[in-house]
Amino acid sequence: MKPGPRRSISQTDIVETAFEILEQKGFAAVSIRGVAAALGLTPTAMYTYFPSKNALLRAMVEQVLAGLDLEGAADADVDWRDRVLALAVDLRSRLAAHAGAMLLVTSGPLDGPHARRLTETLIAGFTSERMPLADAARAADAVRAYVLGAAALDAAVRAAEASEGPATAGPALWTEATAHPLTDAAAELDGDADGGFAWGLDRLLDGLLAGVGASAT
Amino acid sequence: MKPGPRRSISQTDIVETAFEILEQKGFAAVSIRGVAAALGLTPTAMYTYFPSKNALLRAMVEQVLAGLDLEGAADADVDWRDRVLALAVDLRSRLAAHAGAMLLVTSGPLDGPHARRLTETLIAGFTSERMPLADAARAADAVRAYVLGAAALDAAVRAAEASEGPATAGPALWTEATAHPLTDAAAELDGDADGGFAWGLDRLLDGLLAGVGASAT
DNA sequence: ACCTGAACACCGTTCAAGT
DNA sequence: ACCTGAACACCGTTCAAGT
């Protein structure tokens, strides 16, 4: 095919195609060349839209965050505690929806516009509980860290299950099989990872909101 | 050079070399070929020691975790709260020590022997505070998530600073520059990221330990 | 068992050139 | 501005072969 302007493909089209590849073939398959091929372009044409692969990955992170209901989280009619819980659960499910989304988040800084809006919303919520600004900022950081870390641990476990089957341990790299009685016992009586996430977040909010506002139980 | 057995190189040597490359040239430079070259081997010889690149990365994660003072964390003479704080701070500083260590952790499941020992130690500590096993397991998950998430956010920020200079924003991808007054205001009066980490962990422990034991303040 | 050399099927990115 | 084609300097991994 000859060079020259074609029917314009948007950055959004590229990001969407990248997400399709991410879901179908995993994080490793998200490549400039692969996305270009799926769009019927040569790899070099991609550099018209994004200056680097990293820029593409950042745009993907932004799209994941774009769907967050920050307006709902700013609704002062609802308790802040309930709002931040809903927001965190939503964010976590969005990160869980795409198999490799967590690697995206870790692969670059969370400094896009939607990421900043999320941080701003969190800080605003905590200050609305009469928390000093410095503490509110740290509280926002703590919530971000908890949600991201939980999503990362989830993603790592699921990636391992997908790549090598559920019941495969390392080939005798370590011999002591049952040296972790508590971990094993806990694994038996639990299986509700989602419940664990909300429980831990609840405890974190207990600690963050203790003694700062009336609505903190 | 001719093929045939050489003076044996150990898996430990390979992992150490990989860490040197990680620190000097970053995560992207940690490659089978690169590590092999640094050791004077051909890439294929690497597959004698590790079945895949992923196996090498996992071994690196294990080495980061291997240095953790789990014995100190099991010392019942000290308050569990102080012990888990020390453990978390230690883990975070280990993750921060290597520029790309966080990507290592995120790139695979934390299911090696040292990772499991860490989980076991955390659960044991929480049960020692008279916490039910199921809750102790979830508390351990919460602490892991918080520490990992905080380390991930740190690493992302530092990676960005290293790759493109501190004061570079995106090239007008978004126009509203000062739409985040709280974030900006908080950034001005804070700069102590380490303090923020410990503060948030303290709040998390407040929430986790509230009402379960005598030593929970 | 430990290693080499060649090969396969990929990468991100740059550059000169076309329309 | 948008695109192609060729090229550079890389990847992980496999395979046959040597000692």
Side-chain angles (χ1 to χ4, degrees):
Chain A
M1 202 173 288
K2 289 174 213 161
R6 209 82 63 71
R7 198 150 44 134
S8 217
I9 290 165
S10 70
Q11 295 194 24
T12 311
D13 296 332
I14 294 177
V15 170
E16 275 174 19
T17 305
F19 269 114
E20 283 168 22
I21 294 175
L22 177 67
E23 270 159 76
Q24 288 166 16
K25 305 184 190 173
F27 181 74
V30 177
S31 65
I32 293 284
R33 291 174 115 105
V35 175
L39 285 164
L41 294 174
T42 52
T44 40
M46 295 283 294
Y47 289 85
T48 306
Y49 301 94
F50 293 98
S52 68
K53 182 184 179 180
N54 228 291
L56 210 203
L57 295 179
R58 287 207 202 187
M60 293 175 74
V61 173
E62 275 297 291
Q63 206 212 260
V64 170
L65 298 178
L68 283 174
D69 181 20
L70 292 181
E71 281 72 26
D75 181 2
D77 290 348
V78 186
D79 247 20
W80 165 242
R81 196 190 171 97
D82 294 331
R83 283 180 279 150
V84 69
L85 264 167
L87 193 59
V89 168
D90 188 15
L91 176 53
R92 177 169 173 269
S93 75
R94 277 170 199 284
L95 292 175
H98 311 282
M102 195 50 220
L103 274 170
L104 290 180
V105 174
T106 318
S107 67
L110 279 170
D111 60 357
H114 288 105
R116 292 178 69 86
R117 276 227 305 156
L118 170 61
T119 304
E120 185 76 7
T121 303
L122 288 172
I123 297 177
F126 282 112
T127 55
S128 77
E129 298 290 314
R130 301 193 202 103
M131 194 182 277
L133 179 58
D135 285 352
R138 297 198 281 191
D141 278 349
V143 170
R144 288 202 309 162
Y146 176 78
V147 174
L148 247 68
L153 288 170
D154 277 2
V157 169
R158 269 178 307 145
E161 283 172 357
S163 75
E164 50 174 319
T168 312
L173 267 173
W174 46 93
T175 37
E176 10 155 32
T178 337
H180 310 288
L182 295 174
T183 309
D184 296 340
E188 296 236 336
L189 56 87
D190 190 27
D192 186 9
D194 285 27
F197 173 77
W199 183 89
L201 184 57
D202 246 336
R203 298 292 81 71
L204 176 59
L205 291 172
D206 281 347
L208 292 173
L209 294 171
V212 294
S215 53
T217 311
Chain B
M1 205 174 285
K2 289 175 212 161
R6 211 83 62 72
R7 199 154 41 143
S8 219
I9 290 166
S10 70
Q11 296 193 24
T12 311
D13 296 331
I14 293 177
V15 170
E16 274 174 20
T17 305
F19 268 113
E20 283 168 22
I21 295 175
L22 177 66
E23 270 159 75
Q24 288 165 16
K25 305 185 190 174
F27 181 73
V30 178
S31 65
I32 294 285
R33 292 175 114 105
V35 175
L39 286 164
L41 293 174
T42 52
T44 42
M46 296 283 294
Y47 289 84
T48 306
Y49 301 93
F50 294 98
S52 66
K53 181 183 179 179
N54 229 291
L56 209 203
L57 295 179
R58 288 207 202 188
M60 293 175 74
V61 173
E62 274 298 291
Q63 206 213 259
V64 170
L65 299 178
L68 283 175
D69 180 20
L70 292 180
E71 281 72 25
D75 180 2
D77 290 346
V78 186
D79 246 21
W80 165 242
R81 195 189 172 97
D82 293 332
R83 283 181 279 150
V84 67
L85 264 169
L87 193 60
V89 168
D90 189 16
L91 176 54
R92 177 168 173 272
S93 74
R94 278 170 198 284
L95 292 175
H98 311 283
M102 194 50 219
L103 274 170
L104 291 179
V105 174
T106 318
S107 68
L110 278 170
D111 60 359
H114 287 105
R116 291 177 68 87
R117 277 227 305 157
L118 171 60
T119 305
E120 186 77 7
T121 303
L122 287 172
I123 297 177
F126 283 112
T127 55
S128 77
E129 298 292 312
R130 301 196 201 100
M131 194 182 277
L133 178 59
D135 285 351
R138 297 199 282 190
D141 278 348
V143 170
R144 288 201 311 162
Y146 176 77
V147 175
L148 248 68
L153 288 170
D154 277 2
V157 169
R158 269 176 309 143
E161 283 171 356
S163 75
E164 49 174 320
T168 314
L173 267 173
W174 47 92
T175 35
E176 10 157 31
T178 336
H180 309 288
L182 295 174
T183 308
D184 296 340
E188 296 237 335
L189 55 87
D190 190 27
D192 187 8
D194 285 26
F197 173 77
W199 183 89
L201 184 56
D202 246 336
R203 298 292 81 71
L204 175 60
L205 292 172
D206 281 346
L208 291 172
L209 294 171
V212 292
S215 53
T217 311

PDB file of all heavy atoms in Angstrom, chain B residues 89-118:
ATOM      1  N   VAL B  89       9.076  -1.429  57.343  1.00  0.00           N
ATOM      2  CA  VAL B  89      10.031  -0.388  56.953  1.00  0.00           C
ATOM      3  C   VAL B  89      11.244  -1.027  56.283  1.00  0.00           C
ATOM      4  O   VAL B  89      11.754  -0.537  55.274  1.00  0.00           O
ATOM      5  CB  VAL B  89      10.446   0.446  58.185  1.00  0.00           C
ATOM      6  CG1 VAL B  89      11.644   1.331  57.862  1.00  0.00           C
ATOM      7  CG2 VAL B  89       9.275   1.303  58.668  1.00  0.00           C
ATOM      8  N   ASP B  90      11.681  -2.140  56.850  1.00  0.00           N
ATOM      9  CA  ASP B  90      12.818  -2.856  56.278  1.00  0.00           C
ATOM     10  C   ASP B  90      12.505  -3.338  54.859  1.00  0.00           C
ATOM     11  O   ASP B  90      13.279  -3.123  53.915  1.00  0.00           O
ATOM     12  CB  ASP B  90      13.159  -4.052  57.177  1.00  0.00           C
ATOM     13  CG  ASP B  90      14.461  -4.713  56.759  1.00  0.00           C
ATOM     14  OD1 ASP B  90      15.234  -4.095  55.999  1.00  0.00           O
ATOM     15  OD2 ASP B  90      14.706  -5.863  57.197  1.00  0.00           O
ATOM     16  N   LEU B  91      11.346  -3.947  54.705  1.00  0.00           N
ATOM     17  CA  LEU B  91      10.952  -4.456  53.386  1.00  0.00           C
ATOM     18  C   LEU B  91      10.874  -3.334  52.369  1.00  0.00           C
ATOM     19  O   LEU B  91      11.375  -3.442  51.248  1.00  0.00           O
ATOM     20  CB  LEU B  91       9.604  -5.176  53.489  1.00  0.00           C
ATOM     21  CG  LEU B  91       9.003  -5.694  52.189  1.00  0.00           C
ATOM     22  CD1 LEU B  91       9.984  -6.588  51.441  1.00  0.00           C
ATOM     23  CD2 LEU B  91       7.705  -6.462  52.456  1.00  0.00           C
ATOM     24  N   ARG B  92      10.284  -2.237  52.802  1.00  0.00           N
ATOM     25  CA  ARG B  92      10.149  -1.123  51.874  1.00  0.00           C
ATOM     26  C   ARG B  92      11.511  -0.574  51.467  1.00  0.00           C
ATOM     27  O   ARG B  92      11.740  -0.240  50.304  1.00  0.00           O
ATOM     28  CB  ARG B  92       9.333  -0.012  52.511  1.00  0.00           C
ATOM     29  CG  ARG B  92       9.217   1.213  51.639  1.00  0.00           C
ATOM     30  CD  ARG B  92       8.175   2.147  52.165  1.00  0.00           C
ATOM     31  NE  ARG B  92       8.154   3.392  51.440  1.00  0.00           N
ATOM     32  CZ  ARG B  92       8.893   4.446  51.736  1.00  0.00           C
ATOM     33  NH1 ARG B  92       9.739   4.385  52.746  1.00  0.00           N
ATOM     34  NH2 ARG B  92       8.781   5.559  51.041  1.00  0.00           N
ATOM     35  N   SER B  93      12.432  -0.476  52.416  1.00  0.00           N
ATOM     36  CA  SER B  93      13.743   0.074  52.066  1.00  0.00           C
ATOM     37  C   SER B  93      14.503  -0.882  51.158  1.00  0.00           C
ATOM     38  O   SER B  93      15.266  -0.465  50.296  1.00  0.00           O
ATOM     39  CB  SER B  93      14.548   0.370  53.333  1.00  0.00           C
ATOM     40  OG  SER B  93      15.024  -0.832  53.908  1.00  0.00           O
ATOM     41  N   ARG B  94      14.262  -2.183  51.330  1.00  0.00           N
ATOM     42  CA  ARG B  94      14.889  -3.156  50.431  1.00  0.00           C
ATOM     43  C   ARG B  94      14.343  -3.017  49.020  1.00  0.00           C
ATOM     44  O   ARG B  94      15.075  -3.123  48.035  1.00  0.00           O
ATOM     45  CB  ARG B  94      14.647  -4.573  50.928  1.00  0.00           C
ATOM     46  CG  ARG B  94      15.602  -4.973  52.008  1.00  0.00           C
ATOM     47  CD  ARG B  94      15.250  -6.274  52.676  1.00  0.00           C
ATOM     48  NE  ARG B  94      15.948  -6.348  53.944  1.00  0.00           N
ATOM     49  CZ  ARG B  94      17.242  -6.621  54.052  1.00  0.00           C
ATOM     50  NH1 ARG B  94      17.946  -6.890  52.982  1.00  0.00           N
ATOM     51  NH2 ARG B  94      17.826  -6.637  55.227  1.00  0.00           N
ATOM     52  N   LEU B  95      13.045  -2.815  48.931  1.00  0.00           N
ATOM     53  CA  LEU B  95      12.441  -2.637  47.609  1.00  0.00           C
ATOM     54  C   LEU B  95      12.908  -1.327  46.983  1.00  0.00           C
ATOM     55  O   LEU B  95      13.088  -1.239  45.760  1.00  0.00           O
ATOM     56  CB  LEU B  95      10.911  -2.649  47.727  1.00  0.00           C
ATOM     57  CG  LEU B  95      10.302  -3.995  48.113  1.00  0.00           C
ATOM     58  CD1 LEU B  95       8.800  -3.861  48.330  1.00  0.00           C
ATOM     59  CD2 LEU B  95      10.586  -5.049  47.044  1.00  0.00           C
ATOM     60  N   ALA B  96      13.120  -0.320  47.834  1.00  0.00           N
ATOM     61  CA  ALA B  96      13.553   0.970  47.320  1.00  0.00           C
ATOM     62  C   ALA B  96      15.026   0.963  46.927  1.00  0.00           C
ATOM     63  O   ALA B  96      15.457   1.743  46.087  1.00  0.00           O
ATOM     64  CB  ALA B  96      13.296   2.058  48.364  1.00  0.00           C
ATOM     65  N   ALA B  97      15.795   0.062  47.520  1.00  0.00           N
ATOM     66  CA  ALA B  97      17.233   0.044  47.285  1.00  0.00           C
ATOM     67  C   ALA B  97      17.565  -0.249  45.830  1.00  0.00           C
ATOM     68  O   ALA B  97      18.474   0.337  45.252  1.00  0.00           O
ATOM     69  CB  ALA B  97      17.895  -0.996  48.185  1.00  0.00           C
ATOM     70  N   HIS B  98      16.824  -1.154  45.242  1.00  0.00           N
ATOM     71  CA  HIS B  98      17.045  -1.458  43.829  1.00  0.00           C
ATOM     72  C   HIS B  98      15.996  -0.735  43.008  1.00  0.00           C
ATOM     73  O   HIS B  98      14.799  -0.847  43.283  1.00  0.00           O
ATOM     74  CB  HIS B  98      16.953  -2.958  43.588  1.00  0.00           C
ATOM     75  CG  HIS B  98      17.780  -3.756  44.544  1.00  0.00           C
ATOM     76  ND1 HIS B  98      19.142  -3.878  44.421  1.00  0.00           N
ATOM     77  CD2 HIS B  98      17.451  -4.451  45.651  1.00  0.00           C
ATOM     78  CE1 HIS B  98      19.597  -4.623  45.404  1.00  0.00           C
ATOM     79  NE2 HIS B  98      18.593  -4.984  46.175  1.00  0.00           N
ATOM     80  N   ALA B  99      16.449  -0.042  42.006  1.00  0.00           N
ATOM     81  CA  ALA B  99      15.561   0.822  41.238  1.00  0.00           C
ATOM     82  C   ALA B  99      14.367   0.067  40.669  1.00  0.00           C
ATOM     83  O   ALA B  99      13.254   0.547  40.668  1.00  0.00           O
ATOM     84  CB  ALA B  99      16.342   1.477  40.107  1.00  0.00           C
ATOM     85  N   GLY B 100      14.584  -1.142  40.196  1.00  0.00           N
ATOM     86  CA  GLY B 100      13.503  -1.842  39.510  1.00  0.00           C
ATOM     87  C   GLY B 100      12.945  -3.013  40.290  1.00  0.00           C
ATOM     88  O   GLY B 100      12.221  -3.831  39.740  1.00  0.00           O
ATOM     89  N   ALA B 101      13.274  -3.065  41.575  1.00  0.00           N
ATOM     90  CA  ALA B 101      12.872  -4.236  42.364  1.00  0.00           C
ATOM     91  C   ALA B 101      11.360  -4.394  42.402  1.00  0.00           C
ATOM     92  O   ALA B 101      10.832  -5.506  42.417  1.00  0.00           O
ATOM     93  CB  ALA B 101      13.425  -4.125  43.780  1.00  0.00           C
ATOM     94  N   MET B 102      10.664  -3.265  42.397  1.00  0.00           N
ATOM     95  CA  MET B 102       9.217  -3.340  42.481  1.00  0.00           C
ATOM     96  C   MET B 102       8.627  -4.035  41.260  1.00  0.00           C
ATOM     97  O   MET B 102       7.680  -4.817  41.359  1.00  0.00           O
ATOM     98  CB  MET B 102       8.643  -1.929  42.619  1.00  0.00           C
ATOM     99  CG  MET B 102       7.205  -1.929  43.056  1.00  0.00           C
ATOM    100  SD  MET B 102       6.926  -2.969  44.503  1.00  0.00           S
ATOM    101  CE  MET B 102       5.363  -3.694  44.059  1.00  0.00           C
ATOM    102  N   LEU B 103       9.197  -3.749  40.111  1.00  0.00           N
ATOM    103  CA  LEU B 103       8.709  -4.407  38.896  1.00  0.00           C
ATOM    104  C   LEU B 103       8.938  -5.906  38.984  1.00  0.00           C
ATOM    105  O   LEU B 103       8.167  -6.698  38.452  1.00  0.00           O
ATOM    106  CB  LEU B 103       9.407  -3.836  37.664  1.00  0.00           C
ATOM    107  CG  LEU B 103       8.767  -2.582  37.095  1.00  0.00           C
ATOM    108  CD1 LEU B 103       9.656  -1.946  36.040  1.00  0.00           C
ATOM    109  CD2 LEU B 103       7.412  -2.924  36.501  1.00  0.00           C
ATOM    110  N   LEU B 104      10.021  -6.288  39.642  1.00  0.00           N
ATOM    111  CA  LEU B 104      10.273  -7.707  39.860  1.00  0.00           C
ATOM    112  C   LEU B 104       9.118  -8.333  40.632  1.00  0.00           C
ATOM    113  O   LEU B 104       8.567  -9.360  40.241  1.00  0.00           O
ATOM    114  CB  LEU B 104      11.555  -7.914  40.668  1.00  0.00           C
ATOM    115  CG  LEU B 104      12.876  -7.589  40.014  1.00  0.00           C
ATOM    116  CD1 LEU B 104      14.002  -7.854  41.002  1.00  0.00           C
ATOM    117  CD2 LEU B 104      13.056  -8.436  38.774  1.00  0.00           C
ATOM    118  N   VAL B 105       8.775  -7.685  41.737  1.00  0.00           N
ATOM    119  CA  VAL B 105       7.742  -8.226  42.607  1.00  0.00           C
ATOM    120  C   VAL B 105       6.416  -8.332  41.862  1.00  0.00           C
ATOM    121  O   VAL B 105       5.671  -9.298  42.006  1.00  0.00           O
ATOM    122  CB  VAL B 105       7.595  -7.338  43.865  1.00  0.00           C
ATOM    123  CG1 VAL B 105       6.425  -7.790  44.704  1.00  0.00           C
ATOM    124  CG2 VAL B 105       8.879  -7.376  44.676  1.00  0.00           C
ATOM    125  N   THR B 106       6.137  -7.329  41.055  1.00  0.00           N
ATOM    126  CA  THR B 106       4.870  -7.316  40.331  1.00  0.00           C
ATOM    127  C   THR B 106       4.878  -8.279  39.161  1.00  0.00           C
ATOM    128  O   THR B 106       3.824  -8.662  38.657  1.00  0.00           O
ATOM    129  CB  THR B 106       4.583  -5.897  39.810  1.00  0.00           C
ATOM    130  OG1 THR B 106       4.921  -4.952  40.817  1.00  0.00           O
ATOM    131  CG2 THR B 106       3.115  -5.753  39.467  1.00  0.00           C
ATOM    132  N   SER B 107       6.060  -8.662  38.723  1.00  0.00           N
ATOM    133  CA  SER B 107       6.133  -9.465  37.503  1.00  0.00           C
ATOM    134  C   SER B 107       5.809 -10.938  37.753  1.00  0.00           C
ATOM    135  O   SER B 107       5.686 -11.707  36.821  1.00  0.00           O
ATOM    136  CB  SER B 107       7.520  -9.348  36.874  1.00  0.00           C
ATOM    137  OG  SER B 107       8.472  -9.974  37.702  1.00  0.00           O
ATOM    138  N   GLY B 108       5.684 -11.332  38.981  1.00  0.00           N
ATOM    139  CA  GLY B 108       5.346 -12.724  39.252  1.00  0.00           C
ATOM    140  C   GLY B 108       4.726 -12.869  40.622  1.00  0.00           C
ATOM    141  O   GLY B 108       4.681 -11.906  41.390  1.00  0.00           O
ATOM    142  N   PRO B 109       4.241 -14.037  40.931  1.00  0.00           N
ATOM    143  CA  PRO B 109       3.600 -14.246  42.228  1.00  0.00           C
ATOM    144  C   PRO B 109       4.635 -14.300  43.346  1.00  0.00           C
ATOM    145  O   PRO B 109       5.765 -14.720  43.142  1.00  0.00           O
ATOM    146  CB  PRO B 109       2.927 -15.600  42.062  1.00  0.00           C
ATOM    147  CG  PRO B 109       3.748 -16.308  41.051  1.00  0.00           C
ATOM    148  CD  PRO B 109       4.278 -15.255  40.128  1.00  0.00           C
ATOM    149  N   LEU B 110       4.219 -13.862  44.517  1.00  0.00           N
ATOM    150  CA  LEU B 110       5.106 -13.904  45.673  1.00  0.00           C
ATOM    151  C   LEU B 110       4.914 -15.242  46.385  1.00  0.00           C
ATOM    152  O   LEU B 110       4.336 -15.316  47.465  1.00  0.00           O
ATOM    153  CB  LEU B 110       4.775 -12.758  46.621  1.00  0.00           C
ATOM    154  CG  LEU B 110       5.374 -11.410  46.262  1.00  0.00           C
ATOM    155  CD1 LEU B 110       4.785 -10.314  47.124  1.00  0.00           C
ATOM    156  CD2 LEU B 110       6.875 -11.446  46.428  1.00  0.00           C
ATOM    157  N   ASP B 111       5.408 -16.306  45.776  1.00  0.00           N
ATOM    158  CA  ASP B 111       5.145 -17.620  46.348  1.00  0.00           C
ATOM    159  C   ASP B 111       6.419 -18.413  46.622  1.00  0.00           C
ATOM    160  O   ASP B 111       6.381 -19.615  46.812  1.00  0.00           O
ATOM    161  CB  ASP B 111       4.210 -18.419  45.444  1.00  0.00           C
ATOM    162  CG  ASP B 111       4.817 -18.623  44.063  1.00  0.00           C
ATOM    163  OD1 ASP B 111       5.932 -18.116  43.834  1.00  0.00           O
ATOM    164  OD2 ASP B 111       4.187 -19.292  43.242  1.00  0.00           O
ATOM    165  N   GLY B 112       7.546 -17.737  46.620  1.00  0.00           N
ATOM    166  CA  GLY B 112       8.798 -18.410  46.957  1.00  0.00           C
ATOM    167  C   GLY B 112       8.871 -18.681  48.445  1.00  0.00           C
ATOM    168  O   GLY B 112       8.019 -18.234  49.210  1.00  0.00           O
ATOM    169  N   PRO B 113       9.882 -19.425  48.871  1.00  0.00           N
ATOM    170  CA  PRO B 113       9.999 -19.793  50.286  1.00  0.00           C
ATOM    171  C   PRO B 113      10.103 -18.585  51.209  1.00  0.00           C
ATOM    172  O   PRO B 113       9.464 -18.558  52.272  1.00  0.00           O
ATOM    173  CB  PRO B 113      11.271 -20.636  50.337  1.00  0.00           C
ATOM    174  CG  PRO B 113      11.968 -20.399  49.052  1.00  0.00           C
ATOM    175  CD  PRO B 113      10.922 -20.041  48.048  1.00  0.00           C
ATOM    176  N   HIS B 114      10.881 -17.576  50.829  1.00  0.00           N
ATOM    177  CA  HIS B 114      11.025 -16.425  51.704  1.00  0.00           C
ATOM    178  C   HIS B 114       9.751 -15.597  51.746  1.00  0.00           C
ATOM    179  O   HIS B 114       9.396 -15.045  52.784  1.00  0.00           O
ATOM    180  CB  HIS B 114      12.210 -15.566  51.256  1.00  0.00           C
ATOM    181  CG  HIS B 114      13.529 -16.177  51.548  1.00  0.00           C
ATOM    182  ND1 HIS B 114      14.315 -16.756  50.577  1.00  0.00           N
ATOM    183  CD2 HIS B 114      14.205 -16.350  52.714  1.00  0.00           C
ATOM    184  CE1 HIS B 114      15.413 -17.237  51.125  1.00  0.00           C
ATOM    185  NE2 HIS B 114      15.378 -17.013  52.421  1.00  0.00           N
ATOM    186  N   ALA B 115       9.075 -15.525  50.617  1.00  0.00           N
ATOM    187  CA  ALA B 115       7.803 -14.801  50.586  1.00  0.00           C
ATOM    188  C   ALA B 115       6.791 -15.490  51.489  1.00  0.00           C
ATOM    189  O   ALA B 115       6.038 -14.837  52.225  1.00  0.00           O
ATOM    190  CB  ALA B 115       7.278 -14.726  49.153  1.00  0.00           C
ATOM    191  N   ARG B 116       6.780 -16.804  51.473  1.00  0.00           N
ATOM    192  CA  ARG B 116       5.849 -17.552  52.309  1.00  0.00           C
ATOM    193  C   ARG B 116       6.204 -17.416  53.792  1.00  0.00           C
ATOM    194  O   ARG B 116       5.325 -17.331  54.644  1.00  0.00           O
ATOM    195  CB  ARG B 116       5.828 -19.023  51.888  1.00  0.00           C
ATOM    196  CG  ARG B 116       5.197 -19.234  50.507  1.00  0.00           C
ATOM    197  CD  ARG B 116       5.247 -20.686  50.077  1.00  0.00           C
ATOM    198  NE  ARG B 116       4.394 -21.538  50.869  1.00  0.00           N
ATOM    199  CZ  ARG B 116       3.107 -21.765  50.619  1.00  0.00           C
ATOM    200  NH1 ARG B 116       2.531 -21.180  49.588  1.00  0.00           N
ATOM    201  NH2 ARG B 116       2.398 -22.557  51.382  1.00  0.00           N
ATOM    202  N   ARG B 117       7.502 -17.379  54.056  1.00  0.00           N
ATOM    203  CA  ARG B 117       7.928 -17.203  55.450  1.00  0.00           C
ATOM    204  C   ARG B 117       7.498 -15.838  55.967  1.00  0.00           C
ATOM    205  O   ARG B 117       7.116 -15.701  57.136  1.00  0.00           O
ATOM    206  CB  ARG B 117       9.458 -17.322  55.550  1.00  0.00           C
ATOM    207  CG  ARG B 117       9.946 -18.754  55.641  1.00  0.00           C
ATOM    208  CD  ARG B 117      10.973 -18.908  56.760  1.00  0.00           C
ATOM    209  NE  ARG B 117      12.091 -17.987  56.637  1.00  0.00           N
ATOM    210  CZ  ARG B 117      12.851 -17.617  57.660  1.00  0.00           C
ATOM    211  NH1 ARG B 117      12.614 -18.081  58.871  1.00  0.00           N
ATOM    212  NH2 ARG B 117      13.859 -16.790  57.471  1.00  0.00           N
ATOM    213  N   LEU B 118       7.564 -14.848  55.100  1.00  0.00           N
ATOM    214  CA  LEU B 118       7.130 -13.509  55.495  1.00  0.00           C
ATOM    215  C   LEU B 118       5.642 -13.518  55.845  1.00  0.00           C
ATOM    216  O   LEU B 118       5.230 -13.000  56.896  1.00  0.00           O
ATOM    217  CB  LEU B 118       7.398 -12.520  54.356  1.00  0.00           C
ATOM    218  CG  LEU B 118       6.808 -11.114  54.505  1.00  0.00           C
ATOM    219  CD1 LEU B 118       7.353 -10.415  55.748  1.00  0.00           C
ATOM    220  CD2 LEU B 118       7.085 -10.265  53.265  1.00  0.00           C
TER     221      LEU B 118
END
